[in-house]
Amino acid sequence: MSTVYSRITGTGSHLPPRRLSNDDMAAMLAKRGLETSDAWIVERTGIRFRHFADEGVACSDLALPACRAALQAAGRRAEDVDLIVVATSTPDMVFPSTATILQNKLGVHGCPAFDLQAVCSGFVYALTVADAMIRTGGARCALVVGAEVFSRILDFDDRTTCVLFGDGAGAVVLEASAEPGILASDLHADGRHAGILCTPGTVAGGQVVGSPLLRMDGQAVFKLAVGVLEDAARTVLAKAGRAPESLRWLVPHQANIRIMQATARKLKLAPERLVATVDEHGNTSAASVPLALDVAVRDGRIRRGDSVMLEGVGGGFTWGAVLLDF
Ligand code: UT7
């Protein structure tokens, strides 16, 4: 029997139209008696803009156009899809999953659909799960999605977090293929660090119990992120039997340009090989990697056959990398 691999055949993304600059954020915070500035945000993070969904726009509403664009790029129709995995920490509801709501909005019914929760590592986790299902015959044409409405869980009285995040969605069509495709993955979690980046509230007894707003110890996350991203990158290259010099593109989680540049430097990757969209999107958690991937595919940087490393890191604490030939 011939070996089955999985391969990305199309990418898509979507941003809600409301675009806020750092100056817009500064004006919003000033009304609350808080101070921030474009200079502080750019210098510390590289972020210049973020998009916020309007009231009533849910995670699945952002995911839907991203999926349609990915399907079109792959030359597939929604009816061809036999698996939907949505990575999100800001689902439409407690249940059912955003993936099933998305499936219905796509107008298809019957195929397995589920959400995956690994916060900012969510897309890398979801791609690894979908790859495993395709390689073991459980699916042939998967939609793998990262979609978030992080604006819903931001504390606008906390200037250390609310300026960092944004909303958006990215999607890929992942199909069974005789050629790889995805070469190797490396996923990790360490729950000892759950408290440094979390939204600790829950729903119980008919009400929200605990805080439903994001909180983060930025410095603790920063320190952990820099170390684990290098480890995951080296591990995944070793698993695939590839040298770091063979890598053409690094598409890491878009949280902070300083973390991303540090990872690229450690891999001795030329700065122009780093795909960075954090300036335009802010941190969109699980959506950030597929959003950045789609931008670089559509502007012609990432081409068929290019070696691409995707990396995620975030709450949990979770992290991971996927190496693929595009
Ligand atoms: O998505 C999951 C992965 N997440 C990440 O990777 C985030 C990792 N962490 C980071 O990116 C950075 O730690 C931050 C961008 C969150 C913060 O940057 P930092 O260089 O670690 O700043 P800091 O927290 O040490 O704060 C420096 C100063 C503080 O003032 P003092 O105590 O030195 O007087 C803060 O109060 O900057 C102050 N500050 C601000 N000033 C203006 C914090 N937030 C703001 C703000 N505007 N928005």
Side-chain angles (χ1 to χ4, degrees), residues 57-105:
V57 173
C59 182
S60 64
D61 295 318
L62 301 184
L64 182 62
C67 289
R68 287 200 171 127
L71 287 165
Q72 191 178 34
R76 291 289 181 191
R77 296 172 316 150
E79 297 73 49
D80 299 326
V81 171
D82 60 5
L83 170 68
I84 301 174
V85 188
V86 177
T88 187
S89 299
T90 47
D92 290 23
M93 5 177 131
V94 173
F95 71 81
S97 70
T98 301
T100 59
I101 297 167
L102 174 66
Q103 186 207 50
N104 190 42
K105 287 182 177 172

Side-chain angles (χ1 to χ4, degrees), residues 36 40 44-45 120 159 218-219 221 253 255-256 258-259 283:
T36 191
W40 189 94
R44 301 285 173 142
T45 69
C120 303
R159 69 174 181 169
Q219 285 191 0
V221 173
H253 172 47
N256 186 318
R258 292 185 289 145
I259 298 176
N283 181 346

Side-chain angles (χ1 to χ4, degrees), residues 97 116 289 318:
S97 70
L116 191 153
V289 170
T318 56

Side-chain angles (χ1 to χ4, degrees), residues 30 38 62 87 126 137 141 150 157 191 194-195 226 233 239 309 311 313 319:
D38 177 58
L62 301 184
C141 181
F150 254 55
D157 287 317
V226 174
K239 280 186 184 176
M309 167 107 56
E311 287 207 286
V313 61
W319 67 99

Side-chain angles (χ1 to χ4, degrees), residues 249-284:
W249 300 107
L250 176 64
V251 188
H253 172 47
Q254 311 280 319
N256 186 318
I257 193 70
R258 292 185 289 145
I259 298 176
M260 295 155 63
Q261 287 169 341
T263 309
R265 263 196 311 274
K266 287 177 173 179
L267 296 174
K268 298 201 168 44
L269 203 66
E272 63 273 18
R273 297 284 155 213
L274 172 68
V275 176
T277 53
V278 67
D279 54 336
E280 281 289 324
H281 303 163
N283 181 346
T284 58

